[in-house]
Amino acid sequence: MKQLYTFIILFFIATTSYSNVSPSNLNCDFVVETPLQNTDYLCNGTTTLNVAATGSMLTYQWYFNSSVISNESSNTLTATVSGIYTCVITRGTCSEMINFTVIQPADPSIFFQPMDVTVCQGEPVHLSIAAMGENLTYQWYRNNQLIIGADSSIFIITTATQADTGDYYCVVSSECAPSMQSTVAQVTVKHVAITSVPMDFLGCEGSTFVAYIEAQGTDVSYQLYHNMQPVEGATSNIHIITVDENTAGQYFWTV
């Protein structure tokens, strides 16, 4: 009988201790999907802050610069001024704090404009721009046509061709702010193509030979050579040669 009495008292004590635990403390876990630190931008003067959390019996309280915002008890808030917004999520005795830094974006400003470039065909072209602003993005254009993939502050053509000649500019965009266009940079790709070559000539002394060459390109210039030596004054694509022992030999142009 004494052992049974002891068992009943121990059982009673254990049961009483368990029943004193508050139901809200038994399971207060919930899952917050929104990062603890966030950055948002005021687009057209407003932005919506959203807290994503899963769990039952959740409550929300919003603060602005550490001051409570009354009548704001949902998981979303419309912000109209820049500052630090905080949402405290609570379930029972558990809570989680989510911070939002709301920024009024400034218009982008360009402090280094792209420069004109002149290269020979086959050489590289480098265009660059430097700007200030929030979360800047870049897009380059040639002759008012978007260049696919040219979306950084530096644009490079590794091997320039005649088709790359044109007017280039870059449009800089910032988060929720008006875009800004750079000045226009002129890219000139010099090229040359020989379309007609001189012919061999066999003539008697005193006869004349018209040496002639045709070429197309940008800013084309000519220099005629005789036996590897430049012919003085022969800087056009036509040169008349009087045949004698001094003028016989090999001729070629550099174009």
Side-chain angles (χ1 to χ4, degrees), residues 20-96:
N20 284 338
V21 178
S22 172
S24 63
N25 292 328
L26 295 179
N27 181 14
C28 62
D29 292 336
F30 55 90
V31 178
V32 179
E33 300 170 359
T34 304
L36 299 183
Q37 301 293 332
N38 304 270
T39 301
D40 285 70
Y41 295 89
L42 293 173
C43 298
N44 299 319
T46 183
T47 186
T48 299
L49 309 180
N50 181 70
V51 174
T54 56
S56 60
M57 297 183 295
L58 299 180
T59 61
Y60 303 87
Q61 179 59 62
W62 288 89
Y63 297 81
F64 174 66
N65 291 340
S66 300
S67 298
V68 66
I69 304 176
S70 59
N71 301 322
E72 291 294 346
S73 58
S74 70
N75 66 319
T76 61
L77 175 71
T78 300
T80 57
V81 294
S82 58
I84 305 298
Y85 291 80
T86 303
C87 181
V88 177
I89 311 167
T90 303
R91 182 189 183 197
T93 60
C94 297
S95 64
E96 189 71 77

Side-chain angles (χ1 to χ4, degrees), residues 11-237:
F11 178 79
F12 176 77
I13 293 174
T15 303
T16 303
S17 175
Y18 183 83
S19 64
N20 284 338
V21 178
S22 172
S24 63
N25 292 328
L26 295 179
N27 181 14
C28 62
D29 292 336
F30 55 90
V31 178
V32 179
E33 300 170 359
T34 304
L36 299 183
Q37 301 293 332
N38 304 270
T39 301
D40 285 70
Y41 295 89
L42 293 173
C43 298
N44 299 319
T46 183
T47 186
T48 299
L49 309 180
N50 181 70
V51 174
T54 56
S56 60
M57 297 183 295
L58 299 180
T59 61
Y60 303 87
Q61 179 59 62
W62 288 89
Y63 297 81
F64 174 66
N65 291 340
S66 300
S67 298
V68 66
I69 304 176
S70 59
N71 301 322
E72 291 294 346
S73 58
S74 70
N75 66 319
T76 61
L77 175 71
T78 300
T80 57
V81 294
S82 58
I84 305 298
Y85 291 80
T86 303
C87 181
V88 177
I89 311 167
T90 303
R91 182 189 183 197
T93 60
C94 297
S95 64
E96 189 71 77
M97 184 177 357
I98 310 298
N99 289 316
F100 295 85
T101 302
V102 176
I103 299 173
Q104 176 64 59
D107 293 347
S109 60
I110 300 173
F111 58 89
F112 182 82
Q113 301 281 357
M115 308 290 289
D116 294 345
V117 177
T118 299
V119 298
C120 293
Q121 185 166 287
E123 294 180 340
V125 173
H126 294 260
L127 296 173
S128 63
I129 188 174
M132 297 179 62
E134 299 288 344
N135 292 347
L136 296 180
T137 59
Y138 304 88
Q139 180 59 60
W140 289 89
Y141 292 78
R142 177 178 60 240
N143 297 334
N144 295 321
Q145 298 297 315
L146 183 147
I147 304 173
I148 297 176
D151 54 4
S152 70
S153 60
I154 299 175
F155 176 61
I156 299 176
I157 303 172
T158 55
T159 304
T161 66
Q162 184 181 359
D164 295 315
T165 295
D167 294 334
Y168 291 74
Y169 63 86
C170 183
V171 173
V172 182
S173 301
S174 180
E175 189 79 34
C176 301
S179 299
M180 179 169 289
Q181 179 180 315
S182 72
T183 58
V184 175
Q186 293 184 337
V187 173
T188 303
V189 181
K190 292 186 176 182
H191 67 286
V192 64
I194 297 175
T195 57
S196 177
V197 298
M199 306 294 292
D200 292 342
F201 176 76
L202 178 63
C204 298
E205 185 174 357
S207 61
T208 58
F209 169 62
V210 179
Y212 176 73
I213 190 173
E214 287 185 350
Q216 294 178 346
T218 307
D219 298 332
V220 178
S221 61
Y222 304 87
Q223 177 60 58
L224 180 64
Y225 286 77
H226 174 224
N227 294 335
M228 304 302 294
Q229 298 297 318
V231 179
E232 185 178 354
T235 56
S236 69
N237 64 325

